[in-house]
Amino acid sequence: MTTDSITQKIRQHYAELSAADRKLADLLLRQQAGLVGYSATELADLAGVSKASAARFFRRLGFADFQAFRAELRRGAAQQSPLQRMRQTARKTGTPQFAQHIEADTANLAALREAVDDVTLDATAELLARARSVFIVGYRNSHATAFYAAAILSQIRPGVQLLDDAAGHQAEQLADCGAQDVLLVADFRRRTSRLLPLVTAARAAGMRVVVLTDTPLSDLTAQAALVLHCPHQDEQMFDSYVGAISLVNFLATATTARVRKPARARMQRIEELHRALGDFADAS
């Protein structure tokens, strides 16, 4: 079940809802993607209704309880494969148009501005600047964002490591981690079950976790010190990561501003090494 079908179900029952139920319905209709990650008690508090009213509301929608609602929404999100999207987009749009593609990516960037607040951005940049070490991880579709984050953060500060499980050395990489270190996690659909044990181990070691994710339903958010939500849309066959890449780019710039002098010295040394190694064919 997708957010669209949940919205349709709420609207079908809206006229029959009590005043308390409508408060919850309005809350979900306004910000459904950001609220379903909360507990039923937290949702009731946000809507200003009792927990009993919230329980009755989800039963009216056809769910045994709030956990059943959230589990169904999780399953729906996990089923959004490119194969299914190919069928959906073919029915909706026929031949893809480049202008529509650009419009969709532009909408993603606009949604990102609304989804991430300045306080969270500042706190994240501060963590990335002050941490003893920054470990970065992302599997499957998330790997490209994680790789990009490691590539640019390593230019401005030491101690940046990409946790790549291809060599099977993640246990060794994390063995000496603690409260002075940060784990930056890219968590985008379709997700792998391998990520949760790694984050759990990092938290047990005292590491602070920052999660970049496209859903508040991720089990990782409960273990995160900071969560940066990167909205996505369902009109394209393949998920767009333009928002995530833009966000990582900004975080690197904001982190540099906090460590400007050592960052400049490090980047200068890196440029000298590039010249000594003959890395580039031209001066660009």
Side-chain angles (χ1 to χ4, degrees), residues 95-176:
T95 303
Q97 300 296 318
F98 186 58
Q100 294 173 347
H101 173 84
I102 296 300
E103 288 171 4
D105 273 352
T106 301
N108 275 344
L109 287 171
L112 177 66
R113 181 64 190 94
E114 298 301 319
V116 182
D117 62 90
D118 291 336
V119 173
T120 304
L121 287 170
D122 288 344
T124 302
E126 191 68 19
L127 276 183
L128 294 175
R130 308 304 172 194
R132 178 180 61 183
S133 298
V134 176
F135 294 86
I136 302 171
V137 65
Y139 297 134
R140 293 182 58 83
N141 290 1
S142 303
H143 181 73
T145 301
F147 180 87
Y148 178 64
I152 58 176
L153 286 172
S154 64
Q155 295 180 50
I156 62 175
R157 56 150 299 155
V160 175
Q161 293 191 51
L162 179 65
L163 296 176
D164 186 349
D165 67 339
H169 289 162
Q170 291 179 324
E172 289 85 351
Q173 288 177 292
L174 293 172
D176 299 318

Side-chain angles (χ1 to χ4, degrees), residues 47-63:
V49 301
S50 68
K51 187 176 179 180
S53 293
R56 285 194 298 271
F57 173 79
F58 289 108
R59 286 198 297 271
R60 184 181 288 272
L61 292 182
F63 299 98

